[in-house]
Amino acid sequence: MTEQRRFNRAGLILNPVFQYLEEEDRYLSRRNRPKYRFNLIGAGIIGQEHIRVTLLEGRATIHGVYDPNPRSIIAAQREAQKYDPDLNLVIYDSLDAVCNDPAVDGLIVCTPNSTHIDVIHTVAAAGKHILLEKPIATTVQDAFTIMQLAMQHRAVFQVGLQYRFKPQYSEALYEILERKTIGQVKTIGMAEHRMPFLDKVGQWNKFADYSGDTLVEKCCHYFDLINRIAQNRPKTVYAVGSAAVNFADFEREGRRSDILDNGMVIITYENGVTANFNLCMFAPMFYEELVVCGDLGRIKTTEHEDFLPHNRPVTQMEIATVDDRPSRMTQPMYPALIQHSGHQGGTYVEHVEFVDQIAGKPSRAASAEEGFWAIVVGAAAQASIATGAPIVINDYLEQMGLML
Ligand SMILES: NC(=O)c1ccc[n+]([C@@H]2O[C@H](COP(=O)([O-])OP(=O)(O)OC[C@H]3O[C@@H](n4cnc5c(N)ncnc54)[C@H](O)[C@@H]3O)[C@@H](O)[C@H]2O)c1
């Protein structure tokens, strides 16, 4: 069996029911020898998700971890052994050591946003395959530097914008871009309504200089999706937003939280597509909505978890088309083990794409260039909120000395 991840074998491998079998009696439930080894830099909430999905996907393993926080190391080891009880992670004591272990093929960077720009130089110098978490940086200038570094990198350089692999977005992108189900895209609407930012090591996500602020930190995912659907570069960005409710009394080391908790962003594209994005981070739920209208129809997707006692499907998609094409209502989803492994299975598929790219196959995963443009929209929206004026993207980049 060459492709370990096929036929949902992870469920069979992990199922304790088969533990009574001798190794030689295992076929479908046998754990294959992983072909690739990855090291993890930063083992917080998403680092642990990367451990989980690497081991579930099965063609690679996690070799070791570097993280200055001992509790993150303990959590990483615990997570790894849930999926491979024999796995003992190597614990590195420096960034140099984690990057330059010859046993390792790839590096997954999951440190706080503001550290990416420093960490990535050592990571890239090691010449291994890279999966860098979003947002690639906290400022447009640093994102530009990282994009250039990625262009010169001789191995895979993938960015952790994995929302495109959540089942509802994966299906919507396929319908819009491949099947052209709704014809030519004209308008894109996107919304996220959710709980406040969760706790982090050092609470870096409560401060704009550590996170890049909310529209860069969190919403780069949505701007990436919108950019991808528009299939074009943003021309203008106008936004309003504020810190209306959350973290009003939050203070750490004498500093008050200074991040946005809501925003409305309007984007125009060079090709005439228009888009809006609406964020509210003080809603008692996790809700995402995408509505795309083309000249032949409309696609709407939702992801909805609200903690109420009903059984509404979490991920849904509606396609309404003109009368000679069938309309549909569906519930896109992955097998439960994958769907529940994080981000509705999006991170798992991101790893399928990462390993495929390493194996030289074509990929739908986000590049550093796409990571850069997602940050441009978020940062321009924040600049628009600060000044009250619309931002013309070409002028905005030119003022920073960036010619693209
Ligand atoms: N793609 C996604 O959906 C997604 C989801 C969550 C977080 N993220 C991104 O992943 C990154 C980490 O976020 P998180 O939520 O896991 O944060 P976290 O605070 O839970 O974990 C960050 C970890 O990095 C460690 N760390 C800090 N500086 C380090 C350094 N210089 N070298 C090595 N380790 C270091 C911390 O000790 C901590 O364990 C951020 O860039 C964040 O934006 C992406």
Side-chain angles (χ1 to χ4, degrees), residues 110-118 133-139 142 197 200-214 216-218 250-259 375 382:
C110 305
T111 59
N113 303 350
S114 63
T115 65
H116 292 178
I117 185 68
D118 290 335
E133 262 307 341
K134 56 53 54 177
I136 59 173
T138 52
T139 65
D142 286 352
F197 274 130
K200 299 285 166 190
V201 175
Q203 296 287 18
W204 58 265
N205 59 353
K206 311 301 179 298
F207 299 100
D209 55 352
Y210 293 147
S211 73
D213 209 345
T214 307
V216 168
E217 140 56 17
K218 170 80 216 166
F250 182 96
E251 208 181 289
R252 191 177 168 98
E253 290 162 2
R255 283 183 72 193
R256 296 211 154 222
S257 173
D258 59 353
I259 53 164
I375 289 180
Q382 287 167 182

mmCIF file of all heavy atoms in Angstrom, residues 110-118 133-139 142 197 200-214 216-218 250-259 375 382:
data_model
loop_
_atom_site.group_PDB
_atom_site.id
_atom_site.type_symbol
_atom_site.label_atom_id
_atom_site.label_comp_id
_atom_site.label_asym_id
_atom_site.label_seq_id
_atom_site.Cartn_x
_atom_site.Cartn_y
_atom_site.Cartn_z
ATOM 1 N N CYS A 110 5.435 28.087 13.612
ATOM 2 C CA CYS A 110 4.170 28.428 14.295
ATOM 3 C C CYS A 110 4.432 29.334 15.482
ATOM 4 O O CYS A 110 3.844 29.158 16.550
ATOM 5 C CB CYS A 110 3.493 27.165 14.801
ATOM 6 S SG CYS A 110 3.207 25.947 13.544
ATOM 7 N N THR A 111 5.322 30.283 15.318
ATOM 8 C CA THR A 111 5.625 31.226 16.391
ATOM 9 C C THR A 111 4.710 32.450 16.229
ATOM 10 O O THR A 111 4.092 32.644 15.169
ATOM 11 C CB THR A 111 7.099 31.658 16.307
ATOM 12 O OG1 THR A 111 7.312 32.266 15.028
ATOM 13 C CG2 THR A 111 8.020 30.454 16.453
ATOM 14 N N PRO A 112 4.618 33.299 17.257
ATOM 15 C CA PRO A 112 3.761 34.487 17.134
ATOM 16 C C PRO A 112 4.129 35.351 15.922
ATOM 17 O O PRO A 112 5.301 35.398 15.510
ATOM 18 C CB PRO A 112 4.015 35.227 18.456
ATOM 19 C CG PRO A 112 4.447 34.151 19.411
ATOM 20 C CD PRO A 112 5.223 33.167 18.595
ATOM 21 N N ASN A 113 3.122 36.060 15.402
ATOM 22 C CA ASN A 113 3.267 36.784 14.136
ATOM 23 C C ASN A 113 4.511 37.679 14.064
ATOM 24 O O ASN A 113 5.232 37.690 13.064
ATOM 25 C CB ASN A 113 2.034 37.672 13.900
ATOM 26 C CG ASN A 113 0.752 36.866 13.903
ATOM 27 O OD1 ASN A 113 0.788 35.639 13.903
ATOM 28 N ND2 ASN A 113 -0.391 37.543 13.927
ATOM 29 N N SER A 114 4.764 38.449 15.136
ATOM 30 C CA SER A 114 5.850 39.439 15.068
ATOM 31 C C SER A 114 7.226 38.782 15.043
ATOM 32 O O SER A 114 8.211 39.430 14.709
ATOM 33 C CB SER A 114 5.770 40.411 16.247
ATOM 34 O OG SER A 114 5.960 39.693 17.452
ATOM 35 N N THR A 115 7.309 37.496 15.388
ATOM 36 C CA THR A 115 8.616 36.812 15.371
ATOM 37 C C THR A 115 8.950 36.244 13.991
ATOM 38 O O THR A 115 10.094 35.863 13.742
ATOM 39 C CB THR A 115 8.642 35.648 16.392
ATOM 40 O OG1 THR A 115 7.688 34.657 15.974
ATOM 41 C CG2 THR A 115 8.311 36.103 17.809
ATOM 42 N N HIS A 116 7.942 36.158 13.101
ATOM 43 C CA HIS A 116 8.174 35.474 11.816
ATOM 44 C C HIS A 116 9.344 36.086 11.045
ATOM 45 O O HIS A 116 10.152 35.380 10.475
ATOM 46 C CB HIS A 116 6.908 35.524 10.944
ATOM 47 C CG HIS A 116 5.776 34.708 11.490
ATOM 48 N ND1 HIS A 116 4.540 34.651 10.887
ATOM 49 C CD2 HIS A 116 5.667 33.910 12.585
ATOM 50 C CE1 HIS A 116 3.737 33.858 11.580
ATOM 51 N NE2 HIS A 116 4.399 33.407 12.623
ATOM 52 N N ILE A 117 9.409 37.411 11.035
ATOM 53 C CA ILE A 117 10.424 38.081 10.213
ATOM 54 C C ILE A 117 11.842 37.733 10.671
ATOM 55 O O ILE A 117 12.753 37.586 9.834
ATOM 56 C CB ILE A 117 10.197 39.628 10.169
ATOM 57 C CG1 ILE A 117 11.175 40.324 9.231
ATOM 58 C CG2 ILE A 117 10.216 40.276 11.529
ATOM 59 C CD1 ILE A 117 10.964 40.011 7.770
ATOM 60 N N ASP A 118 12.062 37.577 11.980
ATOM 61 C CA ASP A 118 13.406 37.198 12.459
ATOM 62 C C ASP A 118 13.656 35.707 12.273
ATOM 63 O O ASP A 118 14.703 35.294 11.771
ATOM 64 C CB ASP A 118 13.558 37.546 13.948
ATOM 65 C CG ASP A 118 13.620 39.053 14.145
ATOM 66 O OD1 ASP A 118 14.020 39.746 13.191
ATOM 67 O OD2 ASP A 118 13.239 39.513 15.239
ATOM 68 N N GLU A 133 3.355 29.775 9.112
ATOM 69 C CA GLU A 133 1.995 30.149 9.482
ATOM 70 C C GLU A 133 1.649 31.572 9.026
ATOM 71 O O GLU A 133 2.528 32.408 8.829
ATOM 72 C CB GLU A 133 1.798 30.013 11.009
ATOM 73 C CG GLU A 133 1.139 28.707 11.418
ATOM 74 C CD GLU A 133 -0.183 28.425 10.683
ATOM 75 O OE1 GLU A 133 -0.791 29.348 10.125
ATOM 76 O OE2 GLU A 133 -0.596 27.258 10.657
ATOM 77 N N LYS A 134 0.364 31.789 8.852
ATOM 78 C CA LYS A 134 -0.160 33.117 8.540
ATOM 79 C C LYS A 134 -0.183 33.962 9.803
ATOM 80 O O LYS A 134 -0.181 33.381 10.880
ATOM 81 C CB LYS A 134 -1.553 33.047 7.930
ATOM 82 C CG LYS A 134 -2.644 32.316 8.719
ATOM 83 C CD LYS A 134 -3.021 32.582 10.138
ATOM 84 C CE LYS A 134 -3.390 33.902 10.665
ATOM 85 N NZ LYS A 134 -3.799 33.893 12.095
ATOM 86 N N PRO A 135 -0.283 35.256 9.737
ATOM 87 C CA PRO A 135 0.088 36.074 8.585
ATOM 88 C C PRO A 135 1.607 36.012 8.455
ATOM 89 O O PRO A 135 2.290 35.946 9.470
ATOM 90 C CB PRO A 135 -0.376 37.477 9.000
ATOM 91 C CG PRO A 135 -0.299 37.482 10.504
ATOM 92 C CD PRO A 135 -0.597 36.077 10.934
ATOM 93 N N ILE A 136 2.106 36.049 7.226
ATOM 94 C CA ILE A 136 3.550 35.817 7.090
ATOM 95 C C ILE A 136 4.349 36.867 7.876
ATOM 96 O O ILE A 136 5.458 36.584 8.303
ATOM 97 C CB ILE A 136 4.017 35.722 5.608
ATOM 98 C CG1 ILE A 136 3.694 36.982 4.808
ATOM 99 C CG2 ILE A 136 3.440 34.480 4.955
ATOM 100 C CD1 ILE A 136 4.315 36.963 3.396
ATOM 101 N N ALA A 137 3.764 38.045 8.073
ATOM 102 C CA ALA A 137 4.439 39.081 8.870
ATOM 103 C C ALA A 137 3.390 40.042 9.410
ATOM 104 O O ALA A 137 2.205 39.931 9.076
ATOM 105 C CB ALA A 137 5.446 39.829 8.005
ATOM 106 N N THR A 138 3.828 40.999 10.215
ATOM 107 C CA THR A 138 2.862 41.940 10.806
ATOM 108 C C THR A 138 2.784 43.251 10.028
ATOM 109 O O THR A 138 1.891 44.054 10.278
ATOM 110 C CB THR A 138 3.256 42.267 12.258
ATOM 111 O OG1 THR A 138 4.625 42.690 12.264
ATOM 112 C CG2 THR A 138 3.102 41.063 13.157
ATOM 113 N N THR A 139 3.731 43.480 9.116
ATOM 114 C CA THR A 139 3.691 44.714 8.320
ATOM 115 C C THR A 139 3.861 44.358 6.834
ATOM 116 O O THR A 139 4.417 43.298 6.504
ATOM 117 C CB THR A 139 4.843 45.683 8.690
ATOM 118 O OG1 THR A 139 6.089 45.054 8.342
ATOM 119 C CG2 THR A 139 4.843 46.023 10.176
ATOM 120 N N ASP A 142 7.626 43.929 5.934
ATOM 121 C CA ASP A 142 8.203 42.631 6.320
ATOM 122 C C ASP A 142 7.628 41.504 5.450
ATOM 123 O O ASP A 142 8.346 40.562 5.100
ATOM 124 C CB ASP A 142 7.921 42.327 7.803
ATOM 125 C CG ASP A 142 8.789 43.172 8.730
ATOM 126 O OD1 ASP A 142 9.695 43.861 8.234
ATOM 127 O OD2 ASP A 142 8.546 43.132 9.958
ATOM 128 N N PHE A 197 -10.756 36.972 20.685
ATOM 129 C CA PHE A 197 -9.506 36.214 20.547
ATOM 130 C C PHE A 197 -9.247 35.367 21.788
ATOM 131 O O PHE A 197 -9.431 35.828 22.919
ATOM 132 C CB PHE A 197 -8.316 37.168 20.379
ATOM 133 C CG PHE A 197 -8.077 37.592 18.962
ATOM 134 C CD1 PHE A 197 -7.932 38.930 18.639
ATOM 135 C CD2 PHE A 197 -7.956 36.649 17.957
ATOM 136 C CE1 PHE A 197 -7.694 39.325 17.336
ATOM 137 C CE2 PHE A 197 -7.708 37.032 16.642
ATOM 138 C CZ PHE A 197 -7.584 38.364 16.336
ATOM 139 N N LYS A 200 -3.344 33.260 24.523
ATOM 140 C CA LYS A 200 -2.117 32.819 23.840
ATOM 141 C C LYS A 200 -0.951 32.927 24.804
ATOM 142 O O LYS A 200 -1.027 33.662 25.787
ATOM 143 C CB LYS A 200 -1.820 33.720 22.625
ATOM 144 C CG LYS A 200 -2.892 33.716 21.569
ATOM 145 C CD LYS A 200 -2.884 32.454 20.752
ATOM 146 C CE LYS A 200 -4.152 32.330 19.945
ATOM 147 N NZ LYS A 200 -4.307 31.030 19.318
ATOM 148 N N VAL A 201 0.163 32.266 24.461
ATOM 149 C CA VAL A 201 1.369 32.362 25.284
ATOM 150 C C VAL A 201 1.884 33.805 25.194
ATOM 151 O O VAL A 201 2.206 34.290 24.105
ATOM 152 C CB VAL A 201 2.453 31.367 24.803
ATOM 153 C CG1 VAL A 201 3.744 31.572 25.602
ATOM 154 C CG2 VAL A 201 1.959 29.930 24.952
ATOM 155 N N GLY A 202 1.908 34.504 26.339
ATOM 156 C CA GLY A 202 2.334 35.910 26.343
ATOM 157 C C GLY A 202 1.225 36.849 25.870
ATOM 158 O O GLY A 202 1.441 38.053 25.789
ATOM 159 N N GLN A 203 0.064 36.315 25.533
ATOM 160 C CA GLN A 203 -1.088 37.126 25.069
ATOM 161 C C GLN A 203 -0.707 38.073 23.935
ATOM 162 O O GLN A 203 -1.189 39.207 23.856
ATOM 163 C CB GLN A 203 -1.701 37.913 26.260
ATOM 164 C CG GLN A 203 -2.287 37.023 27.341
ATOM 165 C CD GLN A 203 -3.593 36.353 26.940
ATOM 166 O OE1 GLN A 203 -3.953 36.263 25.765
ATOM 167 N NE2 GLN A 203 -4.335 35.857 27.929
ATOM 168 N N TRP A 204 0.111 37.539 22.998
ATOM 169 C CA TRP A 204 0.598 38.392 21.909
ATOM 170 C C TRP A 204 -0.539 38.906 21.017
ATOM 171 O O TRP A 204 -0.417 39.951 20.386
ATOM 172 C CB TRP A 204 1.651 37.633 21.077
ATOM 173 C CG TRP A 204 1.152 36.335 20.487
ATOM 174 C CD1 TRP A 204 1.296 35.102 21.017
ATOM 175 C CD2 TRP A 204 0.434 36.156 19.262
ATOM 176 N NE1 TRP A 204 0.706 34.154 20.214
ATOM 177 C CE2 TRP A 204 0.169 34.776 19.126
ATOM 178 C CE3 TRP A 204 -0.011 37.021 18.259
ATOM 179 C CZ2 TRP A 204 -0.532 34.249 18.034
ATOM 180 C CZ3 TRP A 204 -0.705 36.504 17.179
ATOM 181 C CH2 TRP A 204 -0.950 35.125 17.077
ATOM 182 N N ASN A 205 -1.663 38.160 20.968
ATOM 183 C CA ASN A 205 -2.730 38.571 20.039
ATOM 184 C C ASN A 205 -3.599 39.717 20.571
ATOM 185 O O ASN A 205 -4.541 40.136 19.911
ATOM 186 C CB ASN A 205 -3.601 37.364 19.639
ATOM 187 C CG ASN A 205 -4.257 36.698 20.833
ATOM 188 O OD1 ASN A 205 -3.978 37.041 21.980
ATOM 189 N ND2 ASN A 205 -5.129 35.731 20.581
ATOM 190 N N LYS A 206 -3.250 40.250 21.758
ATOM 191 C CA LYS A 206 -4.003 41.397 22.292
ATOM 192 C C LYS A 206 -3.336 42.733 21.938
ATOM 193 O O LYS A 206 -3.843 43.785 22.291
ATOM 194 C CB LYS A 206 -4.125 41.303 23.829
ATOM 195 C CG LYS A 206 -4.604 39.955 24.371
ATOM 196 C CD LYS A 206 -5.950 39.559 23.848
ATOM 197 C CE LYS A 206 -6.441 38.219 24.353
ATOM 198 N NZ LYS A 206 -5.637 37.059 24.001
ATOM 199 N N PHE A 207 -2.176 42.650 21.251
ATOM 200 C CA PHE A 207 -1.412 43.869 20.979
ATOM 201 C C PHE A 207 -1.073 43.972 19.491
ATOM 202 O O PHE A 207 -0.545 43.022 18.900
ATOM 203 C CB PHE A 207 -0.112 43.871 21.806
ATOM 204 C CG PHE A 207 -0.389 43.832 23.288
ATOM 205 C CD1 PHE A 207 -0.298 42.637 23.991
ATOM 206 C CD2 PHE A 207 -0.791 44.975 23.956
ATOM 207 C CE1 PHE A 207 -0.584 42.591 25.348
ATOM 208 C CE2 PHE A 207 -1.083 44.933 25.317
ATOM 209 C CZ PHE A 207 -0.974 43.737 26.011
ATOM 210 N N ALA A 208 -1.388 45.152 18.929
ATOM 211 C CA ALA A 208 -1.243 45.328 17.479
ATOM 212 C C ALA A 208 0.195 45.142 17.012
ATOM 213 O O ALA A 208 0.437 44.595 15.933
ATOM 214 C CB ALA A 208 -1.767 46.700 17.081
ATOM 215 N N ASP A 209 1.176 45.556 17.818
ATOM 216 C CA ASP A 209 2.554 45.432 17.309
ATOM 217 C C ASP A 209 3.021 43.969 17.302
ATOM 218 O O ASP A 209 3.882 43.606 16.507
ATOM 219 C CB ASP A 209 3.540 46.355 18.052
ATOM 220 C CG ASP A 209 3.511 46.148 19.551
ATOM 221 O OD1 ASP A 209 2.649 45.410 20.052
ATOM 222 O OD2 ASP A 209 4.374 46.742 20.238
ATOM 223 N N TYR A 210 2.458 43.128 18.158
ATOM 224 C CA TYR A 210 2.826 41.707 18.128
ATOM 225 C C TYR A 210 2.038 40.926 17.065
ATOM 226 O O TYR A 210 2.518 39.947 16.517
ATOM 227 C CB TYR A 210 2.564 41.040 19.487
ATOM 228 C CG TYR A 210 3.441 41.532 20.612
ATOM 229 C CD1 TYR A 210 2.959 41.594 21.910
ATOM 230 C CD2 TYR A 210 4.767 41.920 20.381
ATOM 231 C CE1 TYR A 210 3.757 42.036 22.957
ATOM 232 C CE2 TYR A 210 5.561 42.370 21.422
ATOM 233 C CZ TYR A 210 5.052 42.429 22.697
ATOM 234 O OH TYR A 210 5.845 42.870 23.729
ATOM 235 N N SER A 211 0.802 41.349 16.836
ATOM 236 C CA SER A 211 -0.063 40.545 15.954
ATOM 237 C C SER A 211 -0.193 41.126 14.551
ATOM 238 O O SER A 211 -0.545 40.420 13.620
ATOM 239 C CB SER A 211 -1.473 40.428 16.564
ATOM 240 O OG SER A 211 -2.164 41.659 16.449
ATOM 241 N N GLY A 212 0.063 42.436 14.399
ATOM 242 C CA GLY A 212 -0.225 43.115 13.131
ATOM 243 C C GLY A 212 -1.607 43.743 13.149
ATOM 244 O O GLY A 212 -2.033 44.365 12.188
ATOM 245 N N ASP A 213 -2.327 43.560 14.253
ATOM 246 C CA ASP A 213 -3.723 43.981 14.486
ATOM 247 C C ASP A 213 -4.687 43.027 13.753
ATOM 248 O O ASP A 213 -4.318 42.292 12.843
ATOM 249 C CB ASP A 213 -3.976 45.445 14.104
ATOM 250 C CG ASP A 213 -5.106 46.048 14.963
ATOM 251 O OD1 ASP A 213 -5.844 45.280 15.619
ATOM 252 O OD2 ASP A 213 -5.260 47.285 14.967
ATOM 253 N N THR A 214 -5.926 43.102 14.166
ATOM 254 C CA THR A 214 -6.906 42.047 13.863
ATOM 255 C C THR A 214 -7.122 41.799 12.365
ATOM 256 O O THR A 214 -7.264 40.656 11.937
ATOM 257 C CB THR A 214 -8.244 42.410 14.539
ATOM 258 O OG1 THR A 214 -7.962 42.658 15.922
ATOM 259 C CG2 THR A 214 -9.261 41.312 14.412
ATOM 260 N N VAL A 216 -5.117 42.141 9.946
ATOM 261 C CA VAL A 216 -3.964 41.410 9.402
ATOM 262 C C VAL A 216 -3.903 40.026 10.032
ATOM 263 O O VAL A 216 -3.851 39.008 9.340
ATOM 264 C CB VAL A 216 -2.646 42.181 9.654
ATOM 265 C CG1 VAL A 216 -1.433 41.310 9.375
ATOM 266 C CG2 VAL A 216 -2.601 43.436 8.785
ATOM 267 N N GLU A 217 -3.946 39.980 11.344
ATOM 268 C CA GLU A 217 -3.728 38.719 12.078
ATOM 269 C C GLU A 217 -4.782 37.665 11.725
ATOM 270 O O GLU A 217 -4.458 36.563 11.314
ATOM 271 C CB GLU A 217 -3.675 39.031 13.581
ATOM 272 C CG GLU A 217 -4.326 38.095 14.581
ATOM 273 C CD GLU A 217 -3.861 36.651 14.536
ATOM 274 O OE1 GLU A 217 -2.803 36.354 13.966
ATOM 275 O OE2 GLU A 217 -4.598 35.807 15.054
ATOM 276 N N LYS A 218 -6.039 38.016 11.890
ATOM 277 C CA LYS A 218 -7.111 37.026 11.734
ATOM 278 C C LYS A 218 -7.646 37.034 10.309
ATOM 279 O O LYS A 218 -7.879 35.993 9.701
ATOM 280 C CB LYS A 218 -8.227 37.396 12.736
ATOM 281 C CG LYS A 218 -9.511 36.662 12.579
ATOM 282 C CD LYS A 218 -9.436 35.296 13.185
ATOM 283 C CE LYS A 218 -10.229 34.308 12.370
ATOM 284 N NZ LYS A 218 -9.939 32.939 12.720
ATOM 285 N N PHE A 250 -8.328 44.793 29.671
ATOM 286 C CA PHE A 250 -7.174 43.883 29.584
ATOM 287 C C PHE A 250 -5.875 44.687 29.670
ATOM 288 O O PHE A 250 -5.680 45.657 28.936
ATOM 289 C CB PHE A 250 -7.218 43.105 28.261
ATOM 290 C CG PHE A 250 -6.084 42.125 28.120
ATOM 291 C CD1 PHE A 250 -6.259 40.784 28.455
ATOM 292 C CD2 PHE A 250 -4.837 42.536 27.671
ATOM 293 C CE1 PHE A 250 -5.212 39.881 28.345
ATOM 294 C CE2 PHE A 250 -3.782 41.641 27.565
ATOM 295 C CZ PHE A 250 -3.973 40.315 27.896
ATOM 296 N N GLU A 251 -5.007 44.254 30.564
ATOM 297 C CA GLU A 251 -3.727 44.932 30.711
ATOM 298 C C GLU A 251 -2.657 43.883 30.979
ATOM 299 O O GLU A 251 -2.910 42.921 31.702
ATOM 300 C CB GLU A 251 -3.801 45.891 31.896
ATOM 301 C CG GLU A 251 -2.882 47.066 31.749
ATOM 302 C CD GLU A 251 -2.955 48.000 32.950
ATOM 303 O OE1 GLU A 251 -3.985 48.681 33.104
ATOM 304 O OE2 GLU A 251 -1.975 47.998 33.721
ATOM 305 N N ARG A 252 -1.500 44.032 30.361
ATOM 306 C CA ARG A 252 -0.390 43.122 30.629
ATOM 307 C C ARG A 252 0.899 43.939 30.669
ATOM 308 O O ARG A 252 1.171 44.710 29.758
ATOM 309 C CB ARG A 252 -0.322 42.062 29.524
ATOM 310 C CG ARG A 252 0.628 40.927 29.887
ATOM 311 C CD ARG A 252 0.608 39.870 28.821
ATOM 312 N NE ARG A 252 1.706 38.963 29.043
ATOM 313 C CZ ARG A 252 1.609 37.790 29.654
ATOM 314 N NH1 ARG A 252 0.446 37.368 30.081
ATOM 315 N NH2 ARG A 252 2.669 37.027 29.812
ATOM 316 N N GLU A 253 1.641 43.753 31.711
ATOM 317 C CA GLU A 253 2.899 44.495 31.924
ATOM 318 C C GLU A 253 2.702 45.993 31.689
ATOM 319 O O GLU A 253 3.472 46.634 30.974
ATOM 320 C CB GLU A 253 4.003 43.924 31.025
ATOM 321 C CG GLU A 253 4.422 42.534 31.477
ATOM 322 C CD GLU A 253 5.181 41.749 30.412
ATOM 323 O OE1 GLU A 253 5.422 42.296 29.328
ATOM 324 O OE2 GLU A 253 5.508 40.585 30.691
ATOM 325 N N GLY A 254 1.615 46.510 32.229
ATOM 326 C CA GLY A 254 1.356 47.944 32.163
ATOM 327 C C GLY A 254 0.826 48.440 30.828
ATOM 328 O O GLY A 254 0.589 49.634 30.648
ATOM 329 N N ARG A 255 0.610 47.504 29.876
ATOM 330 C CA ARG A 255 0.094 47.936 28.556
ATOM 331 C C ARG A 255 -1.336 47.494 28.383
ATOM 332 O O ARG A 255 -1.700 46.375 28.731
ATOM 333 C CB ARG A 255 0.913 47.284 27.437
ATOM 334 C CG ARG A 255 2.256 47.921 27.209
ATOM 335 C CD ARG A 255 2.920 47.239 26.027
ATOM 336 N NE ARG A 255 2.292 47.589 24.767
ATOM 337 C CZ ARG A 255 2.512 46.950 23.612
ATOM 338 N NH1 ARG A 255 3.343 45.935 23.590
ATOM 339 N NH2 ARG A 255 1.925 47.344 22.513
ATOM 340 N N ARG A 256 -2.138 48.367 27.798
ATOM 341 C CA ARG A 256 -3.538 48.032 27.497
ATOM 342 C C ARG A 256 -3.638 47.408 26.111
ATOM 343 O O ARG A 256 -2.874 47.766 25.222
ATOM 344 C CB ARG A 256 -4.394 49.298 27.512
ATOM 345 C CG ARG A 256 -4.429 49.917 28.868
ATOM 346 C CD ARG A 256 -5.756 50.614 29.102
ATOM 347 N NE ARG A 256 -5.989 50.647 30.539
ATOM 348 C CZ ARG A 256 -7.148 50.401 31.104
ATOM 349 N NH1 ARG A 256 -8.195 50.095 30.369
ATOM 350 N NH2 ARG A 256 -7.291 50.465 32.412
ATOM 351 N N SER A 257 -4.601 46.527 25.956
ATOM 352 C CA SER A 257 -4.849 45.933 24.638
ATOM 353 C C SER A 257 -5.238 47.040 23.648
ATOM 354 O O SER A 257 -5.970 47.960 24.014
ATOM 355 C CB SER A 257 -5.980 44.911 24.755
ATOM 356 O OG SER A 257 -6.329 44.457 23.478
ATOM 357 N N ASP A 258 -4.762 46.951 22.422
ATOM 358 C CA ASP A 258 -5.024 48.037 21.455
ATOM 359 C C ASP A 258 -5.467 47.489 20.093
ATOM 360 O O ASP A 258 -5.124 48.056 19.056
ATOM 361 C CB ASP A 258 -3.767 48.898 21.292
ATOM 362 C CG ASP A 258 -2.580 48.080 20.793
ATOM 363 O OD1 ASP A 258 -2.692 46.841 20.708
ATOM 364 O OD2 ASP A 258 -1.538 48.684 20.469
ATOM 365 N N ILE A 259 -6.221 46.384 20.099
ATOM 366 C CA ILE A 259 -6.608 45.766 18.822
ATOM 367 C C ILE A 259 -8.071 46.029 18.469
ATOM 368 O O ILE A 259 -8.901 46.231 19.347
ATOM 369 C CB ILE A 259 -6.367 44.233 18.864
ATOM 370 C CG1 ILE A 259 -7.056 43.625 20.086
ATOM 371 C CG2 ILE A 259 -4.885 43.925 18.809
ATOM 372 C CD1 ILE A 259 -7.221 42.144 20.025
ATOM 373 N N ILE A 375 -2.042 40.290 3.296
ATOM 374 C CA ILE A 375 -1.616 41.288 4.293
ATOM 375 C C ILE A 375 -1.797 42.710 3.756
ATOM 376 O O ILE A 375 -2.195 43.614 4.498
ATOM 377 C CB ILE A 375 -0.153 41.037 4.710
ATOM 378 C CG1 ILE A 375 -0.116 39.766 5.547
ATOM 379 C CG2 ILE A 375 0.421 42.221 5.482
ATOM 380 C CD1 ILE A 375 1.244 39.379 6.033
ATOM 381 N N GLN A 382 -6.664 48.660 7.773
ATOM 382 C CA GLN A 382 -6.318 49.285 9.063
ATOM 383 C C GLN A 382 -5.842 50.727 8.866
ATOM 384 O O GLN A 382 -6.172 51.609 9.666
ATOM 385 C CB GLN A 382 -5.265 48.442 9.783
ATOM 386 C CG GLN A 382 -5.890 47.166 10.316
ATOM 387 C CD GLN A 382 -4.931 46.097 10.775
ATOM 388 O OE1 GLN A 382 -5.366 45.035 11.178
ATOM 389 N NE2 GLN A 382 -3.629 46.346 10.734
#
